[in-house]
Amino acid sequence: MLLTSVLLILQETLEAALLISILAVLSLQNGYRMLWLIPGFMVGMVMALLYAENMETVSGWFEYVGQELTNASLQTAIALVLLPLAWMLGKAFEIGEKVSRDARTPRKSSWGVLCAMAVALAVTREGSEILVFLQGFLGQSDQARPVAIGSAIGFGIGLSVGLLLFYAQLPLRGPLTRWIPLVLLALYGGNMMSQATLHLIQADWLQSGPALWDSSAWLPEQSVTGRLLYALVGYESSPSAVQAVSYAVGTLAVVGAALAGRKYA
Amino acid sequence: MRGTQMMINGMRSGPRHSISTRLWSGLLLTIATKTLLAATPIIEIEIRDHLFIPSQVEIPADTKVKLVVKNLDPTPEEFESYELNREKVISGNSKAVIFIGPLPPGEYPFFGEFNPKTAQGKVVVN
């Protein structure tokens, strides 16, 4: 149960940790303050608690596909919130090139609100699964200890990976390399759209075609690399065409919003 | 040429149906077939003592199937399969619906992410 808890909590923490690290780097690079982090996280935890408490009710909605529809909505909402953020980044980049480093961009509260929303939505989605697991197994006298220890280790590793990602992106301030966090944000948007599509297929609201490719032989999803890539860029070893298309749309939409923001700065 | 003429004669000698009758019957047949196909097969699986019962289910190839998973344990479980691309939390003492397929023939393992050591199963498509 110890190892199960470590892997489970780590996997769920990674995705949110990645988003927070990207948004934190982008905030610092473009002169925005980081006031969004704690409120976003707290709101997310409250919403996750509500979702976890009502998981059974939500699952029963729409002939037992309520969970899929809720998750797809949360993920689509994250992808949509990333668009105005990318637009503002495009603007900030353009202004940053013209004016001096100190007076780059005005501090806008809308940036903070959007970041807080994205974090809250991501924490709701990932946190609810963690809470369902903890609520279910912490109450079991024989498993409480390994579950508690395993979860703490998993959360600790997830947090460390998040910090590592943050510090890895922080020096990216050159004319070309500073676009890297934005590209990561775009891939995150694609990942959200692809996962939302998968939930709709699972709910039978969308039809799935045959798998577009199958790379499970050389990079299985259940391998450590596969799991890491799944959390970071939404790696699937056998995605359907509709999933691949939604990934591309989600990614290109963020890039497009940034380019549009840059053009109309 | 002679063969074609014989075929036309042969067709004429059979019962006569207007083109519209043939079209209508064809259309009705298509609708009937689609309606029959639309009735998605249902497969039921139970979770008891962190085990999937049955642990192996067989489904036809290229057919969408509705999996109904009943969790009879008081603890929650997460149905997960990398091969099927499926993931769903199932609260304790509740049921879940998961649509899978259409799939090509093969074996598709699934497991319970909260109890991966015991909760193992597979979908066999043939």
Side-chain angles (χ1 to χ4, degrees):
Chain A
M1 209 60 195
L2 185 87
L3 189 64
T4 303
S5 309
V6 173
L7 288 175
L8 194 92
I9 307 297
L10 173 61
Q11 194 161 300
E12 303 301 334
T13 315
L14 269 183
E15 220 174 83
L18 172 72
L19 178 68
I20 292 173
S21 78
I22 298 172
L23 292 177
V25 167
L26 287 169
S27 294
L28 289 180
Q29 280 184 356
N30 297 287
Y32 295 113
R33 300 201 320 195
M34 293 250 298
L35 294 172
W36 48 265
L37 181 55
I38 292 169
F41 186 80
M42 297 305 277
V43 170
M45 281 313 285
V46 171
M47 294 205 305
L49 199 63
L50 282 173
Y51 187 13
E53 279 291 322
N54 298 292
M55 187 60 88
E56 196 180 335
T57 316
V58 173
S59 297
W61 289 346
F62 301 98
E63 295 177 16
Y64 292 94
V65 293
Q67 197 185 118
E68 281 86 347
L69 299 183
T70 307
N71 291 341
S73 308
L74 286 169
Q75 285 156 340
T76 309
I78 296 172
L80 289 176
V81 169
L82 299 187
L83 300 181
L85 283 172
W87 163 276
M88 291 174 78
L89 282 171
K91 259 185 154 153
F93 281 4
E94 183 65 15
I95 294 167
E97 278 164 19
K98 284 177 188 158
V99 296
S100 75
R101 233 182 137 77
D102 301 324
R104 256 179 308 199
T105 45
R107 282 175 168 74
K108 284 183 184 164
S109 57
S110 48
W111 169 268
V113 171
L114 289 166
C115 283
M117 278 169 70
V119 171
L121 290 164
V123 171
T124 305
R125 156 100 186 90
E126 304 297 327
S128 61
E129 266 179 47
I130 294 179
L131 289 172
V132 166
F133 174 72
L134 291 180
Q135 280 170 352
F137 292 96
L138 275 180
Q140 307 272 305
S141 55
D142 54 330
Q143 288 170 333
R145 216 177 132 84
V147 167
I149 296 171
S151 303
I153 296 174
F155 186 73
I157 301 175
L159 200 69
S160 313
V161 174
L163 282 170
L164 197 73
L165 286 166
F166 172 73
Y167 285 111
Q169 292 174 76
L170 209 52
L172 304 173
R173 284 170 182 262
L176 281 174
T177 50
R178 62 178 195 160
W179 285 86
I180 291 175
L182 183 68
V183 170
L184 287 177
L185 194 71
L187 293 176
Y188 195 92
N191 185 7
M192 287 301 108
M193 286 312 292
S194 154
Q195 284 191 32
T197 306
L198 190 58
H199 278 121
L200 292 181
I201 292 171
Q202 183 169 308
D204 199 27
W205 277 41
L206 260 183
Q207 296 305 309
S208 109
L212 206 55
W213 69 75
D214 188 357
S215 51
S216 59
W218 59 276
L219 183 49
E221 261 176 71
Q222 52 268 56
S223 67
V224 176
T225 320
R227 278 180 177 226
L228 204 63
L229 281 176
Y230 170 79
L232 299 184
V233 292
Y235 171 70
E236 292 268 2
S237 58
S238 54
S240 59
V242 59
Q243 236 187 307
V245 168
S246 51
Y247 191 99
V249 168
T251 306
L252 292 176
V254 172
V255 173
L259 291 176
R262 190 179 155 88
K263 194 176 174 193
Y264 298 107
Chain B
M1 188 65 198
R2 190 183 289 172
T4 313
Q5 194 60 46
M6 278 169 70
M7 268 174 71
I8 292 170
N9 288 338
M11 276 168 75
R12 278 184 184 153
S13 65
R16 290 187 180 191
H17 292 298
S18 71
I19 288 178
S20 68
T21 313
R22 285 181 196 197
L23 276 175
W24 276 114
S25 54
L27 188 67
L28 284 174
L29 189 69
T30 313
I31 292 172
T33 320
K34 288 226 162 139
T35 315
L36 281 175
L37 284 176
T40 312
I42 299 172
I43 303 272
E44 288 198 15
I45 301 175
E46 285 181 359
I47 300 172
R48 255 185 277 155
D49 300 323
H50 312 312
L51 292 168
F52 286 112
I53 301 163
S55 60
Q56 181 172 324
V57 292
E58 295 194 13
I59 66 166
D62 305 318
T63 311
K64 186 167 61 197
V65 172
K66 182 178 177 178
L67 283 185
V68 178
V69 187
K70 289 181 179 165
N71 184 4
L72 304 179
D73 285 341
T75 49
E77 187 51 274
E78 183 166 3
F79 179 97
E80 169 121 24
S81 171
Y82 296 110
E83 286 76 7
L84 294 165
N85 275 338
R86 293 293 180 266
E87 184 185 24
K88 183 160 185 168
V89 172
I90 310 165
S91 307
N93 296 314
S94 73
K95 77 165 188 177
V97 167
I98 302 159
F99 287 90
I100 59 168
L103 292 162
E107 290 192 354
Y108 301 81
F110 58 84
F111 63 99
E113 202 177 9
F114 294 172
N115 298 281
K117 277 185 196 139
T118 52
Q120 294 276 351
K122 66 181 168 191
V123 174
V124 178
V125 182
N126 45 35

